Amino acid sequence: MTGTSLLWLRQDIRLHDQPALIAAAHEGAVVPVYVLDDEAPGRWRIGGAQRWWLHHSLVSLAASLEAKGSRLILRRGSAVEALRKLAEETGASTIHAIRHYEPWWVKAEDALGDRLTLHDGNHLASLRDITTGSGGQYKVYSAFWRALNERMPPPDDQPVPHTISSPDIWPKSDKLSDWDLLPAKPDWAKGFSADWIPGEAEALRKADDFVDEVVDYEARRDLPDVEGTSRLSPHLHFGEISPATVWHKLDRGRNADKFRKEMAWRDFAASLMLQFPHYGYRNGRPAWDAMAWRRSEHDLKAWQQGRTGYPIVDAGMRQLWATGWMHNRVRMITASFLVKHLLIDWRAGERWFWDTLIDADYGNNSVNWQWVAGTGVDSNMWGRIMAPLVQSEKFDAGGYIREWVPELADIPDPWIHDPDAAGCRPDGYPPKIIGHREARERALAAGRAIR
């Protein structure tokens, strides 16, 4: 026992498999602290949907700490300044934290210097150690996965410490309600609670349920009309469950390789942030800086509101607004539509997803948008233009469309995928904002122009 330590929590809001907590508890008294820092991230301060989740996640964490005889200290402002002040108030000589890879957190970690002790725990491995033969970092996912897989399995997940010692005097804490993380009236997030329960307990339960179904994952994951995905993305983003815990739970399931590779994609995205800190707003391939993107507030708003006349696109965008989440296959379809059908800069889509997704992650959001747009260092070819009407029929999205686009609820398959062409589009549903063939030819021409 060496005295009091601060436990700095960010996107690691859990007690189970929490290496920073374990180290702090071993040293003596622990002061867990979450700092709402809107300064360091700048334009990447957490968006509206994430704030809803954060509020409820912190409520859950505070209750778990209280059950252990501890408590959660809340502060707002610069994380670096708040932690320095808390260290002075409590006499803490050490700050324990899990390593993060977002550029603003890397900068904050550097600023805290020697008093900060970092631990790995939010990814399957330490990403700085996944290097090429020459010591560089990977820019292609397939090579990254091979190198990462050689280090698997990750370390065994660790249980919650039996005891979390408290300081003699607790420092003052903000009130969570004063942070105004929840929407004011009208409550645009009122539908979130029907789909989501933030917190560590729900993350662990959901992971157990998913493992029981993982045998069907590869066959069902692309079908938006069935519950075929893990729905773990927001829990992983907020660190309510560690990737190691999920990895080891998968051991008792079958056919888990596909999901493990998707967890590795999350690590790959974070590793690209180490190499390209500005990936969220700079093209990975500079040649694409010359792209003549269209500026159309009308078309952008139609996409945001799910009023494009393409049912699968509109269903996805409406699901996103209502629930803070969108099916992964539909994310690709809607992103491709914005970038290639409407020729609108991928950064406009990134901004919208950042504010409306509960699982918006700097690495994943940036890398996935640049993959779809063809502007990333490892990305799809520009000429691969998703045909939303074909995708809708191929992945049997009729029921999904009926759920999220009620104007089309009475249209039977196969016409629901393209009611405009079938001549059965109801008056309350808009015509296509642009024809698929016209959009494709325009996109290919724009791509040729920058080559």
Side-chain angles (χ1 to χ4, degrees), residues 38-66:
D38 286 331
E39 300 173 18
R43 63 188 292 177
W44 279 278
R45 65 191 291 270
I46 63 174
Q50 293 177 76
R51 287 173 184 263
W52 176 91
W53 189 285
L54 176 63
H55 175 95
H56 294 291
S57 187
L58 291 177
V59 168
S60 176
L61 177 67
S64 297
L65 285 168
E66 287 174 11

Side-chain angles (χ1 to χ4, degrees), residues 198-224:
E200 181 176 9
E202 177 67 7
L204 292 167
R205 186 200 66 78
K206 193 172 287 183
D208 285 332
D209 287 352
F210 174 63
V211 168
D212 294 336
E213 301 293 333
V214 76
V215 65
D216 299 323
Y217 176 70
E218 190 157 5
R220 292 157 56 96
R221 60 186 286 271
D222 280 324
L223 304 175

Side-chain angles (χ1 to χ4, degrees), residues 80-372:
V80 172
E81 293 176 9
L83 291 166
R84 285 173 177 165
K85 185 176 181 180
L86 264 175
E88 292 175 4
E89 293 174 16
T90 60
S93 58
T94 304
I95 303 168
H96 288 280
I98 289 182
R99 190 186 312 276
H100 283 55
Y101 294 97
E102 291 84 357
W104 55 90
W105 290 137
V106 172
K107 185 177 180 180
E109 290 167 359
D110 290 343
L112 288 168
D114 293 340
R115 71 171 64 189
L116 178 65
T117 300
L118 289 169
H119 307 266
D120 292 306
N122 264 17
H123 296 85
L124 293 168
S126 174
L127 301 185
R128 286 184 169 85
D129 295 337
I130 310 300
T131 56
T132 66
S134 61
Q137 292 189 296
Y138 291 96
K139 296 179 177 63
V140 176
Y141 168 73
S142 57
F144 175 88
W145 163 245
R146 288 192 293 270
L148 175 67
N149 198 37
E150 289 176 359
R151 294 173 174 267
M152 294 296 100
D156 291 339
D157 53 342
Q158 301 297 307
V160 182
H162 291 297
T163 58
I164 303 175
S165 299
S166 298
D168 294 334
I169 301 175
W170 281 100
K172 291 181 179 180
S173 173
D174 290 356
K175 291 182 179 180
L176 182 60
S177 58
D178 290 341
W179 284 3
D180 294 325
L181 296 174
L182 299 178
K185 293 182 180 180
D187 183 4
W188 48 260
K190 61 180 181 290
F192 287 17
S193 57
D195 272 34
W196 303 103
I197 302 174
E200 181 176 9
E202 177 67 7
L204 292 167
R205 186 200 66 78
K206 193 172 287 183
D208 285 332
D209 287 352
F210 174 63
V211 168
D212 294 336
E213 301 293 333
V214 76
V215 65
D216 299 323
Y217 176 70
E218 190 157 5
R220 292 157 56 96
R221 60 186 286 271
D222 280 324
L223 304 175
D225 198 30
V226 301
E227 196 68 64
T229 63
S230 73
R231 307 273 284 190
L232 284 171
S233 57
H235 298 289
L236 282 165
H237 169 70
F238 282 94
E240 296 172 345
I241 190 170
S242 75
T245 295
V246 177
W247 183 283
H248 292 301
K249 284 181 180 294
L250 289 168
D251 286 340
R252 72 172 193 263
R254 290 182 294 164
N255 300 334
D257 285 350
K258 182 64 177 177
F259 189 73
R260 282 178 166 148
K261 287 179 179 178
E262 291 188 357
M263 292 174 65
W265 177 268
R266 176 177 176 272
D267 282 15
F268 172 65
S271 75
L272 285 182
M273 298 308 100
L274 281 175
Q275 302 173 68
F276 309 103
H278 305 302
Y279 209 73
Y281 63 93
R282 288 184 186 170
N283 293 318
R285 301 184 184 202
W288 288 91
D289 293 346
M291 172 59 105
W293 299 110
R294 294 177 62 244
R295 293 180 179 271
S296 172
E297 287 298 320
H298 173 274
D299 289 2
L300 176 60
K301 185 170 288 188
W303 177 81
Q304 291 170 341
Q305 295 177 346
R307 301 281 298 169
T308 68
Y310 285 78
I312 185 64
V313 174
D314 295 341
M317 298 307 295
R318 296 188 196 187
Q319 181 190 30
L320 171 61
W321 182 258
T323 70
W325 185 85
M326 192 195 302
H327 186 277
N328 183 62
R329 167 60 56 175
V330 187
R331 292 190 197 200
M332 290 191 288
I333 295 169
T334 57
S336 178
F337 187 88
L338 179 75
V339 173
K340 296 179 180 177
H341 278 66
L342 299 183
L343 268 186
I344 291 177
D345 195 327
W346 63 267
R347 283 160 283 218
E350 182 277 330
R351 287 286 83 195
W352 186 250
F353 274 25
W354 183 260
D355 195 44
T356 54
L357 278 172
I358 53 175
D359 60 7
D361 178 271
Y362 182 69
N364 268 354
N365 205 36
S366 304
V367 171
N368 289 344
W369 271 100
Q370 293 224 46
W371 185 87
V372 169

